[in-house]
Amino acid sequence: MRLAFMGTPDFSVPALHALHEAGHEIAVVYTQPPRPAGRGKALRLSPVQVAAQELGIEVRTPLSLRRNTAEHEYFAGLKLDAAVVAAYGLILPSAMLDAPAHGCLNIHASLLPRWRGAAPIQAAILAGDSESGVTIMQMDAGLDTGAMLTRDRVAITPRTTASSLHDDLAAMGARLIVETLRDIPPPRPQPEEGVTYAARLTREDGRLDWNRTADALDRQVRAMTPWPGTFTMLGGQTIKVGAVAVEAAGSAAVAGSMLDDRLLVACGNGTALRIIRLQRPGRGMMEAEAFLRGQPVPAGTRFDVAGA
């Protein structure tokens, strides 16, 4: 098939490679423009642009598509069989949605209609879902409301992080889109029941509130790995938390207080969480033992609690 590919982050790259390896003609790749990054604020190409340039595919990086009639005309002139969209980051106007013969197909990282929106991977872990997956969807003007073509699922375990689930779903999406394009199945409308939305994440979503239960905080840490990460305050310092484990509390204590000198923290409803990996300002992420050698945290010390 003659395709356009539209994507930006690492999640999209396996699908681009899979389509290329499957022999599809990728006429053009659309991705977000280079952005300033790092301490020097040098412009950084998106992962998709880097991959496309390595494959020798033309790359276009418009700032917006909504009223960009010149881009609409260019896109229509490509005479595409389909466009494949994977975490592109720009809204496609109807002029572009309708241009390819088979429309625009989206690789969405959830089992639609659950977790429409910007952060479905993190939302599934936060909510304690037992599974996630990928849906190949026929795009329409709504927010992830289009008819479904194919989907597959994967279990979410007690140790699944957003990083590991991201990689699993990226690989799954790459496989599914190739299978879908071999013989495009009849579209099926999404069920009207069970619709949920995953809002875009902010840094504040990583703040730990020790009044919540240990299970909820464990899910938060895993869901926010690697971004935005989770953090708490200790003695006026922002401490990043990289990994935790739920443990028995033994006795009720004030939420956020240390139950021993090895970072067992009291949480809501008499639960407790052991911090396994953490990071102080200006240092790298480290195991708890190494952290405590440089900054002991005796029993009774209290992390700041949101709202306290």
Side-chain angles (χ1 to χ4, degrees), residues 127-235:
D129 291 0
S130 62
E131 62 179 4
S132 182
V134 168
T135 304
I136 307 298
M137 177 193 70
Q138 186 88 51
M139 294 180 70
D140 61 15
L143 176 61
D144 301 326
T145 55
M148 301 180 295
L149 299 172
T150 53
R151 65 179 187 167
D152 199 359
R153 58 191 70 225
V154 64
I156 296 177
T157 75
R159 302 284 17 114
T160 297
T161 66
S163 180
S164 64
L165 185 56
H166 167 282
D167 292 350
D168 289 344
L169 297 185
M172 179 181 288
R175 172 178 56 81
L176 273 186
I177 191 61
V178 171
E179 293 174 359
T180 301
L181 290 175
R182 285 198 197 112
D183 184 18
I184 298 178
R188 296 172 291 118
Q190 293 186 34
E192 295 183 2
E193 65 278 0
V195 175
T196 54
Y197 289 91
R200 190 175 302 278
L201 296 174
T202 69
R203 183 180 181 276
E204 193 62 22
D205 290 311
R207 182 183 297 274
L208 296 172
D209 178 358
W210 299 102
N211 288 304
R212 302 178 69 207
T213 67
D215 284 333
L217 291 171
D218 171 61
R219 293 195 301 270
Q220 183 181 1
V221 172
R222 291 186 290 114
M224 301 299 156
T225 300
W227 194 87
T230 48
F231 66 95
T232 186
M233 301 298 294
L234 179 64

Side-chain angles (χ1 to χ4, degrees), residues 126 185 201 238 306:
L126 275 173
L201 296 174
T238 300

Side-chain angles (χ1 to χ4, degrees), residues 274-294:
R274 176 82 63 189
I275 299 178
I276 306 299
R277 301 184 72 235
L278 66 169
Q279 177 181 355
R280 65 169 65 95
R283 302 291 296 275
M285 189 67 67
M286 62 186 73
E287 300 298 316
E289 292 81 0
F291 181 93
L292 291 170
R293 283 196 293 270

